[in-house]
């Protein structure tokens, strides 16, 4: 135990304990610089996996958790994007598809600033990284400060957010769009069926599916869908990874909720480094308002994806069915959005813009250059506005249409602290209702509507329950005062992790294991949930936890050099739940 009461890694725990078995999964999947999701099916480093893994690793080794994120962000592109896969050069090319020779990042991505010394994919995944970095820092602030962890991460994370908020605002409403289903993370969701129907699939003989070597075809995406995934990725690559030219662009509520949560975390990081985080908190709240305006359906009681290129192109109609377009998402909504999205774009350009190259020059640790960029002159802001004005005007006309499919992604904005209270309460009711059955017929929240036409309890992201989405729901329930429901979900997650062998995903009714076993983010988030009792009162006290012998024991056991931590630090008063530890795929 630490002085604050937090449980730590204890090598003397019973050999069969859930804590120790989860730690062994992470040990087994560690490569020396990062953690693979699973050695067989996913033998490289994945972006949002590493963020979730770092959140769990911080309880075992804050040093290893920092290294996890540092390795990932070391492969960041010059335009700010964090690629969804960082390839391990020692893994044979035929072990995974699409492999490095498909993505051709160092050549096809040259104009976008892809690194030359490491091979990556060219698409992204949900932006959990700033939230993960902040939580990792809190696990051992002394170590973090001695290694300049946050001051090295901050410029990279700021560039990542700038890329998403500027280059990926393809709908012009202030939200980031994904340009491939693999980017959203819920790769095979029925939410993508309608937008994907516009895509001509690649010829089946033009690629070989390595995923079928490790899983049943009945549980994986169909060959038709996979052909469309490959076509989209091929076109994106052949276009030099330029955004906005493809056939697929979707504003997803989970992707944007995680961006907003990480924007709150980035504000906390800025404050830790001596800058004011108020502008980022304000931006996060404006993005929350845009999320509600663009994706909330009050009649259905949840958020929906928006197909930016769908409908009639004016935002006045949806795909049909019983999902409406959100009340104010038509002409009136567009008119009301214009001043706000224009102000958001202007503020975004003036507060976060500047060449990524100049920000890379500040990565040695100083926050001062980032602050100078954030406080740049009105002349620079005006110049940027002139350069992007025509493009932004074109984007704002693409309001698209809501996609009438209920996905767990539509519940995940519950993680947002500025979400209106009535919307949060409605989401809780929807989660427990017939479509998701949480706390009732379903052991864990399914990835897709239990009553939906495409529901399948075992097929990838078309019904099975996943640990990361349920971990986020547990966090959101706790954030909005639903402690009883959160505790029930936490208990169900821990029991299911235990009985399923830390499965990749499970049958939402029975908890039957599906996909890979010994899955890293399942083990990592299990560790985080095991620390839940120590979080119950964190909203009322500082959560700065100093280094302790348990961390050093784990580092020694794994051959990691022990570190020296400085226990003294400046007291910090949490600004929001994302500044505390409080809880409030197919993958290409």
């Amino acid at each position: 135990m630490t002085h604050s009461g937090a449980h730590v890694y204890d090598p003397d725990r019973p050999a069969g304990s859930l804590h120790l078995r989860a730690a062994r999964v992470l040990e087994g999947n560690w490569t020396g610089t990062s953690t693979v999701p699973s050695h067989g099916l996913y033998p490289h480093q994945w972006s949002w996996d590493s963020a979730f893994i770092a959140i769990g690793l911080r309880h075992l080794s804050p040093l290893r958790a920092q290294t996890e994120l540092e390795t990932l962000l070391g492969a960041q592109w010059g335009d700010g994007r964090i690629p969804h896969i960082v390839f391990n050069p020692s893994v044979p090319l035929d072990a995974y598809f699409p492999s490095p020779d498909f993505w051709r990042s160092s050549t096809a991505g040259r104009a976008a600033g892809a690194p030359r010394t490491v091979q990556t994919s060219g698409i992204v995944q949900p932006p959990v990284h700033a939230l993960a970095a902040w939580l990792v820092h809190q696990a051992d602030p002394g170590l973090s400060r001695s290694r300049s962890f946050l001051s090295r991460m901050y410029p990279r994370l700021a560039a990542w957010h700038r890329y998403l908020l500027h280059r990926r605002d393809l709908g012009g409403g202030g939200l980031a769009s994904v340009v491939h289903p693999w980017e959203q993370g819920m790769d095979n969701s029925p939410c993508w069926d309608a937008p994907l129907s516009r895509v001509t699939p690649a010829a089946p003989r033009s690629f070989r599916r390595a995923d079928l070597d490790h899983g049943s075809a009945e549980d994986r995406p169909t060959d038709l869908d996979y052909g469309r995934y490959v076509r989209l990725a091929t076109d994106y690559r052949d276009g030099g990874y330029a955004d906005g030219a493809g056939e697929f662009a979707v504003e997803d509520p989970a992707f944007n909720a995680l961006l907003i949560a990480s924007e709150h975390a980035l504000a906390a990081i800025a404050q830790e480094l001596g800058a004011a985080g108020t502008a980022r908190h304000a931006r996060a709240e404006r993005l929350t308002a845009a999320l509600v305006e663009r994706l909330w359906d009050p009649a259905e009681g949840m958020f929906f994806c928006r197909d930016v290129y769908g409908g009639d192109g004016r935002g006045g109609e949806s795909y049909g069915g019983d999902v409406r377009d959100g009340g104010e998402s038509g002409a009136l909504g567009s008119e009301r959005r214009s001043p706000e999205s224009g102000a958001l774009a202007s503020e975004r350009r003036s507060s976060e813009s500047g060449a990524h190259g100049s920000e890379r020059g500040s990565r040695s640790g100083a926050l001062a250059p980032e602050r100078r960029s954030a406080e740049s002159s009105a002349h620079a802001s005006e110049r940027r506005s002139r350069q992007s004005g025509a493009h932004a005007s074109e984007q704002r006309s693409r309001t698209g249409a809501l996609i009438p499919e209920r996905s767990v992604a539509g519940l995940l904005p519950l993680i947002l602290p500025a979400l209106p209270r009535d919307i949060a309460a409605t989401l809780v009711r929807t989660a427990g209702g017939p479509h998701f059955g949480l706390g009732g017929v379903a052991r864990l929240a399914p990835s897709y509507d239990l009553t939906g036409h495409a529901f399948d309890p075992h097929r990838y992201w078309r019904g099975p329950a996943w640990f990361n989405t349920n971990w986020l729901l547990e966090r959101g329930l706790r954030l909005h005062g639903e402690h009883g429901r959160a505790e029930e979900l936490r208990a169900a997650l821990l029991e299911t992790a235990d009985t399923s062998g830390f499965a990749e995903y499970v049958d939402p009714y029975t908890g039957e294991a599906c996909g890979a076993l010994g899955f890293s983010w399942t083990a990592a988030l299990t560790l985080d949930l095991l620390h839940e009792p120590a979080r119950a009162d964190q909203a009322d006290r500082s959560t700065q936890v100093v280094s302790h012998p348990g961390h050093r024991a784990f580092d020694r056991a794994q051959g990691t050099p022990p570190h020296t931590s400085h226990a003294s630090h400046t007291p910090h008063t949490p600004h929001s739940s994302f500044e505390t530890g409080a809880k409030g795929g197919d993958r290409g």
Side-chain angles (χ1 to χ4, degrees):
M1 304 284 283
T2 67
H3 69 277
S4 65
H7 290 276
V8 300
Y9 176 76
D10 182 356
D12 296 325
R13 289 190 180 191
S17 72
L18 185 61
H19 187 286
L20 193 56
R21 284 188 286 124
R24 285 174 174 166
V25 168
L26 296 179
E27 173 190 351
N29 290 340
W30 175 250
T31 68
T33 56
S34 63
T35 310
V36 298
S38 72
H39 280 289
L41 187 53
Y42 309 117
H44 302 286
Q45 183 180 25
W46 264 260
S47 174
W48 76 326
D49 289 72
S50 278
F52 288 120
I53 289 164
I55 288 170
L57 270 178
R58 67 191 172 119
H59 301 297
L60 302 177
S61 169
L63 178 59
R64 183 173 292 187
Q66 292 178 27
T67 302
E68 184 81 37
L69 296 174
E70 290 164 353
T71 300
L72 176 67
L73 269 67
Q76 186 174 25
W77 289 29
D79 63 3
R81 81 182 75 193
I82 297 174
H84 97 296
I85 302 175
V86 180
F87 289 106
N88 183 344
S90 67
V91 174
L93 288 180
D94 62 357
Y96 189 83
F97 179 85
S99 52
D101 57 342
F102 172 88
W103 295 104
R104 305 171 197 165
S105 60
S106 59
T107 54
R110 185 175 300 162
R116 297 183 180 182
T117 58
V118 63
Q119 294 297 310
T120 75
S121 64
I123 59 175
V124 303
Q125 276 192 321
V128 200
H129 311 90
L131 175 58
W134 179 242
L135 293 176
V136 166
H137 163 79
Q138 287 185 304
D140 194 333
L143 173 69
S144 176
R145 293 176 186 132
S146 70
R147 299 185 70 248
S148 301
F149 172 66
L150 289 183
S151 59
R152 287 183 291 110
M153 291 295 100
Y154 183 87
R156 293 178 179 265
L157 293 168
W160 169 222
H161 285 208
R162 179 168 62 249
Y163 167 78
L164 293 173
L165 290 169
H166 181 54
R167 302 202 182 199
R168 287 300 189 89
D169 183 10
L170 303 179
L175 301 181
S177 292
V178 296
V179 299
H180 195 291
W182 290 338
E183 292 198 312
Q184 194 268 356
M186 304 178 194
D187 313 348
N188 194 36
S189 171
C191 295
W192 318 135
D193 291 354
L196 279 175
S197 68
R198 296 191 295 267
V199 178
T200 301
R205 294 183 180 180
S206 65
F207 59 90
R208 188 189 79 83
R209 295 184 57 178
D211 64 312
L212 297 182
D213 296 340
H214 302 276
S216 169
E218 289 76 20
D219 294 345
R220 309 296 296 176
T222 65
D223 286 342
L224 178 62
D225 283 337
Y226 210 96
R228 287 169 169 151
Y229 301 155
V230 172
R231 172 67 66 188
L232 276 177
T234 301
D235 290 349
Y236 193 40
R237 177 200 67 201
D238 293 347
Y241 295 110
D243 295 312
E247 299 176 83
F248 185 99
V250 174
E251 294 171 355
D252 174 76
F255 191 99
N256 281 279
L258 289 168
L259 174 59
I260 296 166
S262 280
E263 189 69 15
H264 279 297
L266 205 55
I269 293 172
Q271 288 176 304
E272 163 68 22
L273 296 175
T278 52
R280 288 198 178 276
H281 280 305
R283 180 180 300 113
E285 292 179 0
R286 286 194 299 275
L287 288 169
T288 301
L291 184 74
V292 171
E293 183 178 355
R294 296 276 293 174
L295 306 183
W296 173 246
D297 189 312
E300 298 299 323
M302 66 179 299
F303 290 87
F304 289 89
C305 295
R306 180 175 291 276
D307 181 0
V308 172
Y309 303 146
D312 64 0
R314 296 187 299 273
E317 67 181 51
S318 72
Y319 281 105
D322 58 353
V323 177
R324 301 184 303 184
D325 202 43
E328 295 181 347
S329 296
L332 175 61
S334 177
E335 179 183 355
R336 292 180 57 185
R337 271 195 303 278
S338 295
E340 180 174 6
S341 65
L344 174 63
S346 175
E347 191 275 341
R348 183 169 64 243
R349 287 189 292 270
S350 64
S351 67
E352 289 192 303
S353 262
H356 181 51
S358 67
E359 189 156 70
R360 281 185 292 178
S362 72
R363 284 178 182 164
S364 58
L367 178 61
E370 170 67 22
R371 291 218 306 268
R372 285 196 295 272
S373 174
E375 297 166 1
S376 58
S377 67
H379 176 69
S381 176
E382 182 181 357
R383 182 177 67 251
R384 286 189 292 271
S385 295
R386 284 199 305 268
Q387 291 171 343
S388 61
H391 183 51
S393 176
E394 179 186 357
Q395 287 177 326
R396 277 194 291 274
S397 68
R398 295 175 177 174
T399 52
L402 294 183
I403 299 171
E405 299 288 359
R406 297 178 181 88
S407 161
V408 70
L411 303 177
L412 295 188
L414 198 61
I415 66 174
L416 300 178
L419 195 68
R421 183 175 301 178
D422 60 327
I423 290 179
T426 301
L427 285 177
V428 172
R429 289 195 297 272
T430 300
H435 298 294
F436 295 94
L438 190 60
V441 296
R443 177 178 295 196
L444 300 176
S447 51
Y448 176 68
D449 183 1
L450 294 170
T451 69
H453 67 97
F455 174 77
D456 185 327
H458 289 177
R459 191 178 284 275
Y460 209 69
W461 289 110
R462 299 178 85 86
W466 291 71
F467 284 82
N468 63 332
T469 55
N470 278 270
W471 178 86
L472 288 165
L473 279 176
E474 194 267 359
R475 189 179 186 95
L477 288 167
R478 205 170 292 277
L479 169 64
H480 290 284
E482 296 285 344
H483 296 287
R485 295 176 189 266
E487 187 55 37
E488 289 178 5
L489 180 53
R490 171 181 173 270
L493 278 163
L494 291 175
E495 179 185 3
T496 305
D498 188 10
T499 58
S500 71
F502 304 102
E504 181 181 1
Y505 53 99
V506 299
D507 183 307
Y509 291 118
T510 67
E512 176 189 349
C514 302
L517 300 182
F519 199 69
S520 288
W521 79 25
T522 302
L525 297 178
T526 295
L527 286 169
D528 195 62
L529 291 167
L530 286 170
H531 288 238
E532 187 63 55
R535 289 202 190 115
D537 63 343
Q538 281 184 342
D540 301 321
R541 67 168 191 265
S542 170
T543 61
Q544 309 286 350
V545 180
V546 299
S547 178
H548 44 69
H551 290 167
R552 290 193 293 274
F554 184 81
D555 289 337
R556 284 196 301 271
Q558 312 313 316
T560 307
H563 61 267
T564 301
S565 177
H566 305 280
S568 61
H569 58 271
T570 304
H572 170 67
T573 301
H575 185 282
S576 75
S577 67
F578 294 98
E579 294 181 56
T580 72
K583 290 250 178 184
D586 176 53
R587 300 163 177 263

